[in-house]
Amino acid sequence: MEPQDEGSLVVPTPPEPLTGSDLAMAAVGGLIGAIVGGLIWGFLVAATDTELGIVAIGIGVLAGFGVVLGARRKHGVPLQVIAGVAALVGILFGKYFAFVQIVNKEFGSGVASVFDGRTFSAFTDIIGDVFSGFDLLWVVFAVYTAWRIPQGQ
């Protein structure tokens, strides 16, 4: 945004409007960032036997920056919404991936697969046990972080 000089008044150039392509690429970038964050979270849970809630903020950061990069560094409310939704998807995926890792650790490698319908069904059956009130707090932090990144100036 290069300012334009109108006498002594400096008026910033308005940002380029978002196109459908920008929104689509923002969604792809946000989902890639969120899924990478979810994978990292799942591996950390499996490696440490501890769920580190602060990693949710990292998922929000990756989702937010993925959205901005996908939208060619543009900003705006539609991108903020995409980033928030991507962060939610990333957290859900991270919880699911951690579940798969734990099942495989407890019952043997290859018992559960991310792409197995039975594994997904088992996860949805216990989802109420997987999310606590404390988890919801971290979800809020992650979504807020993702929301802020494409906000712009």
Side-chain angles (χ1 to χ4, degrees), residues 16-19 21-22 25-26 67-75:
E16 274 186 63
L18 294 168
T19 65
S21 174
D22 291 332
M25 292 307 294
V67 165
V68 171
L69 291 174
R72 298 178 298 142
R73 302 193 192 284
K74 293 182 181 177
H75 298 275

Side-chain angles (χ1 to χ4, degrees), residues 63-89:
F65 280 116
V67 165
V68 171
L69 291 174
R72 298 178 298 142
R73 302 193 192 284
K74 293 182 181 177
H75 298 275
V77 172
L79 299 177
Q80 291 176 269
V81 171
I82 292 169
V85 170
L88 280 173
V89 169

